[in-house]
Amino acid sequence: MAVSSGCCPPKFFSVPAVASDCRGDSGATPRPEFSSGAASSRLLFPRRCTSSLSSALILRFPPNFVRQLSTKARRNCSNIGVAQIVAASWSNNHGLPETPLSAADAAATVEIPVEADVANLTCGNGTSVQSQIPAAGSKAATAAASLSFDGSLAVHAGERAGRGITTDAITTPVVNTSAYWFKNSNELIDFKEGRHASFEYGRYGNPTTKALEEKMSALEKAESTLFVSSGMYASVGMLTALVPAGGHIVTTADCYRKTRIFIQNELPKMGISATVTDPADMDSLKRALDQNNVSLFFTESPTNPFLRCVDIEFVSKLCHSKGALVCIDATFASPVNQKALTLGADIVLHSATKFIGGHNDVLGGCLSGSEELISKIRQYHHVIGGVLNPNAAYMILRGMKTLHLRVQQQNHTALRMAQFLEEHPKITRVYYPGLPSHPEHHIAKQQMTGFGGVVSFEVAGDLRTTMKFIDSLKIPYIAPSFGGCESIVDQPAIMSYWDLSSSERATYGIKDNLVRFSFGVEDFEDLKADIIQALESI
């Protein structure tokens, strides 16, 4: 598709000076009539206005204006009132012959240029259509080039920097549609042959979701991002799309339990085997790469729930030397604290339910990486489903605008709390990569700018003692998630591993006294006082 931003004349619309006392015989504002033709379109107001104009007031539009406004009527609730009038009138009167303007009518018409903020795509039939690409030199393109830091990207990337929705609203509208229509069969053929931009069907894309994907790509420094219905679906889709039948993967022992269950129980049904290593055991990783035809190394960093860290740069070089891809689940880090792709990983995965959305009110997941790899996963996704609802996309977009602020606060609170807990006599061990006592603290310092908002620790006591501590807390919710504005606490032995015996849980390092605490954005002193009084109760 050829992009042209300068071949078309300036867009304009015409605005007459309408007096405030323009009324009909009944005192009501007269209903305008719409006329159209091949060259232009006109909106005519009757003569019975008491303004100083001697003839009908005419709004004159350029040939492509009504199509653009019709697009607004379909996509932008902010301008729906005027857009519906013009779009409906255009539909009812399209094809009527052009009525010549009288000299008085022409004198009553004022043409005002409108800046073109998007480029045009030249289609196969010789016409041009609006693209989703900001025109060179436009405000959108200028804004896109000026964003350098995470805080600005979290607020503006994918939105101010040229979203594929015709709107002058500050916020990105929610486009609720199951399908996208074509004006005629030739436009459909143009779409099929790559000359016309469309999502075609709701499972294949959505403008609201597209804006969200572009925002995440900007934050992760990725060529492409795919958003899906949940973080778990992102893991399943990535593994299924990228690992061939009969393939082999390497993963780490400490990870989200449902991910482990899928790898252990579901991948063997596809003939895919796995080697499980300790996150810090590079010798085991080397042996696995030497002894197997490894397609993918997949790990969390930091991991769940012990927050182990993998040297992403080192393992990426090691795996790439053997032809294996590297996918890092960076949910516990967020793109504010860690850029896995710039460290050498091929794909970075997030459960957007956690820090990305950040408000404990939406499910979602995403994968970012090269256009080549994400396209492979996207093709699988188009077949299988797992689509992110556009309303969920909007909520995640809104949540991401404060991502950097929330994560900075959570980093600060979690580090101070980890330091406090490590010194408390009723806490036997603290797991947090920001502490020098953490086994991968040196790695975390190299590849992370902050250590996250989750701290795991062990209480001095048994299962019941730990339960009493948690039940005595007043601020955090007892729930199976993390990363939101509200603090959340859980006891993994009960929350995620209750179906296993104590000895089976110990296989994964899950002790009865283990606590995972996700710190929200509450004040540190309030959280500290709450933890102190809960510890005093045991």
Side-chain angles (χ1 to χ4, degrees), residues 352-354 357-363 391-392 395-396 398-399 484 486:
T353 309
K354 312 305 191 296
H359 288 75
N360 293 317
D361 58 3
V362 63
L363 294 177
N391 293 280
M395 294 177 73
I396 298 172
R398 184 185 60 179
E486 300 87 359

Side-chain angles (χ1 to χ4, degrees), residues 51-387:
S51 69
S52 60
L53 296 177
S54 61
S55 62
L57 299 176
I58 299 175
L59 292 173
R60 184 177 178 83
F61 304 96
N64 65 344
F65 180 78
V66 214
R67 175 186 60 75
Q68 296 168 357
L69 209 50
S70 175
T71 301
K72 284 193 175 186
R74 287 184 283 112
R75 293 184 175 177
N76 178 21
C77 59
S78 300
N79 293 331
I80 199 73
V82 65
Q84 279 184 324
I85 293 173
V86 178
S89 300
W90 170 257
S91 300
N92 293 336
N93 296 281
H94 185 63
L96 293 177
E98 172 73 5
T99 303
L101 290 176
S102 67
D105 289 344
T109 301
V110 182
E111 296 181 357
I112 303 176
V114 178
E115 179 184 4
D117 228 23
V118 290
N120 291 312
L121 299 180
T122 302
C123 295
N125 57 11
T127 62
S128 63
V129 298
Q130 283 191 339
S131 76
Q132 299 180 13
I133 306 169
S138 70
K139 289 182 179 179
T142 302
S146 66
L147 304 179
S148 302
F149 298 94
D150 284 347
S152 302
L153 292 170
V155 175
H156 294 297
E159 298 184 89
R160 184 164 187 154
R163 56 194 162 202
I165 307 174
T166 305
T167 177
D168 54 5
I170 293 175
T171 56
T172 297
V174 181
V175 180
N176 281 315
T177 186
S178 60
Y180 305 86
W181 63 279
F182 299 91
K183 289 185 294 187
N184 51 53
S185 298
N186 283 333
E187 186 174 84
L188 173 58
I189 293 174
D190 284 342
F191 164 71
K192 293 295 184 180
E193 295 182 355
R195 296 184 297 274
H196 172 74
S198 175
F199 292 108
E200 182 185 12
Y201 189 57
R203 195 168 74 247
Y204 307 149
N206 179 278
T208 309
T209 306
K210 180 66 175 176
L212 173 61
E213 290 174 340
E214 291 177 355
K215 187 184 293 291
M216 180 57 72
S217 290
L219 281 169
E220 285 289 10
K221 313 299 182 187
E223 292 179 2
S224 183
T225 292
L226 170 66
F227 261 85
V228 294
S229 57
S230 71
M232 191 63 221
Y233 177 87
S235 297
V236 171
M238 181 275 300
L239 289 166
T240 308
L242 298 184
V243 182
H248 191 89
I249 71 167
V250 179
T251 189
T252 53
D254 190 31
C255 67
Y256 177 51
R257 190 184 176 203
K258 292 299 189 293
T259 303
R260 182 190 300 119
I261 289 173
F262 180 79
I263 291 173
Q264 291 177 339
N265 298 349
E266 302 302 321
L267 286 185
K269 298 176 183 177
M270 308 174 203
I272 298 173
S273 55
T275 297
V276 181
T277 66
D278 182 88
D281 192 348
M282 294 296 101
D283 290 335
S284 293
L285 174 59
K286 291 176 183 178
R287 284 195 299 271
L289 290 168
D290 290 337
Q291 297 171 6
N292 304 278
N293 183 19
V294 177
S295 302
L296 176 77
F297 174 67
F298 179 38
T299 185
E300 300 167 8
S301 187
T303 62
N304 183 15
F306 296 110
L307 307 170
R308 303 289 300 278
C309 295
V310 172
D311 188 334
I312 299 173
E313 184 175 10
F314 180 82
V315 300
S316 296
K317 291 178 180 178
L318 184 62
C319 291
H320 292 163
S321 70
K322 297 293 184 177
L325 298 173
V326 174
C327 177
I328 301 296
D329 182 338
T331 299
F332 275 82
S334 86
V336 173
N337 286 333
Q338 180 177 275
K339 311 285 189 190
L341 298 180
T342 63
L343 292 168
D346 299 289
I347 298 172
V348 59
L349 181 152
H350 291 277
S351 170
T353 309
K354 312 305 191 296
F355 290 103
I356 303 299
H359 288 75
N360 293 317
D361 58 3
V362 63
L363 294 177
C366 63
L367 296 141
S368 301
S370 68
E371 183 65 44
E372 178 184 1
L373 291 176
I374 299 302
S375 291
K376 290 180 180 179
I377 305 172
R378 196 183 300 274
Q379 290 172 6
Y380 173 82
H381 167 67
H382 287 176
V383 174
I384 301 301
V387 179

Side-chain angles (χ1 to χ4, degrees), residues 358-485:
H359 288 75
N360 293 317
D361 58 3
V362 63
L363 294 177
C366 63
L367 296 141
S368 301
S370 68
E371 183 65 44
E372 178 184 1
L373 291 176
I374 299 302
S375 291
K376 290 180 180 179
I377 305 172
R378 196 183 300 274
Q379 290 172 6
Y380 173 82
H381 167 67
H382 287 176
V383 174
I384 301 301
V387 179
L388 183 72
N389 185 286
N391 293 280
Y394 171 81
M395 294 177 73
I396 298 172
L397 266 173
R398 184 185 60 179
M400 288 184 69
K401 293 179 188 295
T402 59
L403 175 64
H404 60 298
L405 301 175
R406 290 184 284 105
V407 170
Q408 288 168 7
Q409 172 71 11
Q410 290 165 312
N411 287 343
H412 182 67
T413 298
L415 178 58
R416 292 180 65 190
M417 202 66 74
Q419 293 167 341
F420 162 73
L421 290 170
E422 194 168 44
E423 299 299 323
H424 200 283
K426 292 186 178 180
I427 300 298
T428 59
R429 185 168 182 180
V430 178
Y431 303 90
Y432 187 69
L435 295 176
S437 59
H438 189 278
E440 285 86 46
H441 177 63
H442 62 291
I443 295 175
K445 286 196 302 181
Q446 292 174 357
Q447 63 189 28
M448 301 180 74
T449 57
F451 304 110
V454 178
V455 179
S456 294
F457 54 91
E458 293 168 0
V459 175
D462 57 10
L463 181 74
R464 294 292 175 180
T465 302
T466 307
M467 290 170 58
K468 184 178 181 181
F469 161 73
I470 288 178
D471 292 345
S472 298
L473 292 166
K474 294 179 172 59
I475 294 178
Y477 293 90
I478 302 175
S481 192
F482 60 90
C485 290

